[in-house]
Amino acid sequence: MKFFDRFRPPRDRLSPGESQLRLVVGLNRVDEVIPGGWNSAINLPTDDAAVQIDRKCADIKRLIASGCGISETHIEHYSALKRYRLENLLNCVIRNCYAGFKLSDVQPKHFEDVDGVNPDARKFTKEERRRRLEKSAPRVGGSARDEVFADLSKVVSVGDLRLIEQRFNQEMERPPTVAVIGQAGVGKTTTVNALFSVEWKTSAIGVGTHVPQGRTVALPSGGQISVTDLPGYGRSIKEDETYERMYHDVMTDCDLVLLIVQADRGDFADDQEMILKIKEWMS
Amino acid sequence: MRLSFHRHTVVFAGKRGVGKSSTLNSLFGFSLATDAAVECTLTPAVRSIASADSSRLRVVDMPGIAANLTSARRFHSFYRHWLSRADILVWITQADVRAYKKDQQFFLDYLQFLKPSSQLMVAIGKFDTLCPGITELQTPEQIAIVKSKIADLRQQLDPYLGRRVDSVRYHPYSVFMGWNIGSLREAVALSEQPTNRTADLHSHEVL
């Protein structure tokens, strides 16, 4: 039994020296930051707006990072609704998630597949994407996994390799668990849907959840992911007090906490307070 | 006896980014700097304006609260100073937000500095986000949205208003659509003149 315990919960496995903060802060809705700065024909910001979005998000990142004492590498800006910079967010998730390699095959939804995009622009982007995929090193038989094990067989004994393979397969069978949190209406479900190409229903306006909702879904890229949607914070003093214990219990069992913040808002005190707590719980 | 140059003082406050300055620009034709993502008001902006009956009105635009962890401490003395001098406190919130923890904390910490005779008004801006294109309250759907928004806000804020709970006024509006701005202007200017309220609407008429 001890052997299996090593696989969960992850936080117990890390010695204090190598503890890594399993947190990603997503700045959502960057498309709303610059009024009139979005070109919906190609579903990208205009050139001027792109520069301003980057600048303003850099300000917010600095504010959050310095206020909470976390690294800016944990923060990424994007827009779930416009599917803008989803790859960047996904990379940030893979980098900071425990066993993030399990998500390395995930494909976020394509930004050109939203309503209102010019058909010619869509066709061009799709062709360009396919062309680049073909150009990138073609894999001749076998997966990256097989290559790694073939390499390993040259340096470790057969018995050790079998043990490694066994542990690796066990780890791979455990779906990555992600806790998603943020204030009500920041786009938690929209983000999960766009980022992992899944189809969860977004909740109706005004109806918030009061209990964590966990679901395990199959990823189109293979494997599974387990996502826990946590009730939003910052609604009232009383609710935050009630939720704190539950937040703690859910988050410490997760491979990653994805905290979503709206980039087009100005009040970050609630978010910063939450990040400070997560930092304390997760390290 | 001390003569006051200003008939009364109106203080506008709220969380950072809710649109305090754009509300003031729209109400009084100021040109306070506004920006969607950058904190613009770092110290209280005090303006003196002539009201309808040729007396003067002092309008104060406070820096937004809850910008980050340190802003509460940074702006504490400003808030204490101006709340004790306010005749009307207009607390601005936005319709598309459901998080009121920081609003509650503000009332808990600062309402004590407001004079007992002063008025408290909660203004709910950006209503065009809930009712797109709203220029007047017409459809039953719009009335239902406005009512449920005010009810939600009351539920969260009333427990923190103490004895002001019965006198507080909730005022929905939209700067972007120019909806219900005129009546907000009248309410803060304490205009004595009879006013035409057919186009505009006060929260007590909604409720």
Side-chain angles (χ1 to χ4, degrees):
Chain A
M1 204 52 214
K2 241 185 168 176
F3 177 78
F4 294 104
D5 283 348
R6 285 181 180 171
F7 292 98
R8 65 173 70 204
R11 78 195 220 106
D12 296 339
R13 291 182 48 174
L14 291 163
S15 62
E18 55 177 332
S19 75
Q20 183 205 1
L21 184 59
R22 303 191 309 280
L23 168 73
V24 167
V25 180
L27 299 180
N28 193 8
R29 293 214 205 172
V30 293
D31 55 304
E32 302 276 348
V33 167
I34 310 296
W38 204 264
N39 182 347
S40 49
I42 54 169
N43 194 32
L44 286 172
T46 60
D47 290 350
D48 286 350
V51 175
Q52 291 187 62
I53 286 171
D54 285 350
R55 206 194 65 223
K56 289 186 175 183
C57 289
D59 285 346
I60 299 173
K61 284 177 195 173
R62 208 172 306 129
L63 179 90
I64 292 177
S66 65
C68 302
I70 63 168
S71 159
E72 284 182 35
T73 56
H74 289 275
I75 315 175
E76 200 59 77
H77 65 283
Y78 71 102
S79 166
L81 206 61
K82 306 285 188 194
R83 304 178 184 173
Y84 175 63
R85 296 187 94 252
L86 287 174
E87 291 80 5
N88 303 60
L89 181 67
L90 184 66
N91 282 339
C92 194
V93 164
I94 293 171
R95 217 168 44 230
N96 293 298
C97 182
Y98 171 77
F101 60 85
K102 286 188 248 174
L103 294 168
S104 57
D105 288 335
V106 170
Q107 287 288 326
K109 284 182 184 167
H110 295 155
F111 73 95
E112 70 272 17
D113 290 338
V114 299
D115 291 339
V117 171
N118 181 311
D120 290 340
R122 180 174 300 172
K123 202 174 147 213
F124 173 80
T125 313
K126 286 216 174 294
E127 273 171 12
E128 186 71 4
R129 177 174 283 125
R130 197 174 54 234
R131 204 174 58 81
R132 287 189 191 182
L133 260 177
E134 281 165 6
K135 240 173 101 179
S136 66
R139 287 227 175 102
V140 194
S143 65
R145 179 188 174 284
D146 294 334
E147 285 170 32
V148 169
F149 278 101
D151 272 356
L152 272 178
S153 69
K154 293 172 195 159
V155 286
V156 294
S157 71
V158 179
D160 285 351
L161 188 65
R162 197 169 298 141
L163 206 61
I164 292 169
E165 201 166 4
Q166 196 183 355
R167 284 182 59 174
F168 179 82
N169 289 340
Q170 273 170 349
E171 183 59 52
M172 283 304 279
E173 274 167 26
R174 202 175 70 85
T177 52
V178 177
V180 189
I181 193 172
Q183 295 193 13
V186 293
K188 294 191 281 283
T189 312
T190 319
T191 300
V192 169
N193 281 347
L195 194 62
F196 302 117
S197 294
V198 292
E199 299 294 339
W200 283 13
K201 275 193 195 127
T202 48
S203 57
I205 297 165
V207 183
T209 70
H210 294 281
V211 288
Q213 297 182 325
R215 265 169 286 190
T216 304
V217 281
L219 291 164
S221 50
Q224 285 185 316
I225 187 165
S226 178
V227 181
T228 307
D229 204 349
L230 290 166
Y233 56 82
R235 166 123 169 105
S236 71
I237 297 172
K238 278 198 186 117
E239 278 187 24
D240 273 19
E241 279 169 6
T242 332
Y243 290 154
E244 186 159 333
R245 177 84 217 160
M246 177 260 294
Y247 286 156
H248 170 271
D249 291 350
V250 171
M251 286 179 188
T252 47
D253 267 349
C254 280
D255 294 332
L256 181 86
V257 175
L258 178 57
L259 186 141
I260 299 170
V261 176
Q262 252 174 268
D264 60 334
R265 292 253 300 271
D267 52 317
F268 299 109
D270 284 331
D271 303 310
Q272 286 182 314
E273 280 168 16
M274 195 70 230
I275 293 170
L276 282 180
K277 278 181 197 150
I278 296 172
K279 209 177 117 185
E280 195 191 311
W281 296 336
M282 302 287 281
S283 54
Chain B
M1 197 183 113
R2 193 168 147 258
L3 285 174
S4 177
F5 178 64
H6 293 101
R7 193 164 54 107
H8 69 279
T9 301
V10 188
V11 173
F12 287 81
K15 287 202 285 194
R16 178 186 169 202
V18 291
K20 288 179 294 300
S21 298
S22 35
T23 302
L24 281 166
N25 290 349
S26 154
L27 280 177
F28 304 113
F30 293 168
S31 48
L32 297 161
T34 61
D35 190 294
V38 172
E39 190 169 18
C40 291
T41 315
L42 292 165
T43 54
V46 187
R47 296 277 194 288
S48 178
I49 60 162
S51 64
D53 58 353
S54 76
S55 64
R56 294 197 80 81
L57 184 73
R58 185 162 57 175
V59 174
V60 186
D61 182 21
M62 297 299 291
I65 64 153
N68 59 59
L69 289 169
T70 56
S71 57
R73 216 178 325 127
R74 200 150 49 109
F75 298 139
H76 174 75
S77 54
F78 288 147
Y79 271 94
R80 237 187 118 148
H81 177 91
W82 282 110
L83 255 61
S84 63
R85 283 158 181 78
D87 295 293
I88 303 177
L89 169 64
V90 183
W91 181 258
I92 299 185
T93 62
Q94 62 187 89
D96 58 338
V97 164
R98 293 175 63 245
Y100 303 117
K101 187 189 180 189
K102 284 288 173 284
D103 305 68
Q104 292 174 339
Q105 265 169 1
F106 178 85
F107 287 150
L108 209 55
D109 295 342
Y110 288 96
L111 272 192
Q112 51 175 316
F113 299 116
L114 201 60
K115 289 181 290 192
S117 60
S118 304
Q119 276 184 34
L120 172 66
M121 184 186 285
V122 177
I124 316 161
K126 302 191 185 174
F127 243 94
D128 50 280
T129 56
L130 293 188
C131 311
I134 189 169
T135 49
E136 55 185 307
L137 215 48
Q138 276 178 324
T139 67
E141 290 82 21
Q142 286 176 338
I143 293 170
I145 290 170
V146 172
K147 272 188 178 175
S148 69
K149 186 69 213 177
I150 292 174
D152 184 41
L153 208 53
R154 285 206 96 111
Q155 194 198 342
Q156 294 302 328
L157 297 187
D158 279 359
Y160 299 89
L161 295 179
R163 48 173 193 79
R164 291 182 186 276
V165 71
D166 296 319
S167 60
V168 62
R169 292 170 78 181
Y170 289 85
H171 191 106
Y173 71 100
S174 160
V175 168
F176 184 68
M177 292 307 296
W179 174 63
N180 226 9
I181 289 285
S183 60
L184 184 60
R185 189 185 301 119
E186 279 167 24
V188 299
L190 290 177
S191 167
E192 313 284 319
Q193 292 160 347
T195 51
N196 173 18
R197 286 190 184 163
T198 48
D200 288 331
L201 153 143
H202 278 293
S203 57
H204 60 260
E205 285 158 17
V206 180
L207 298 165

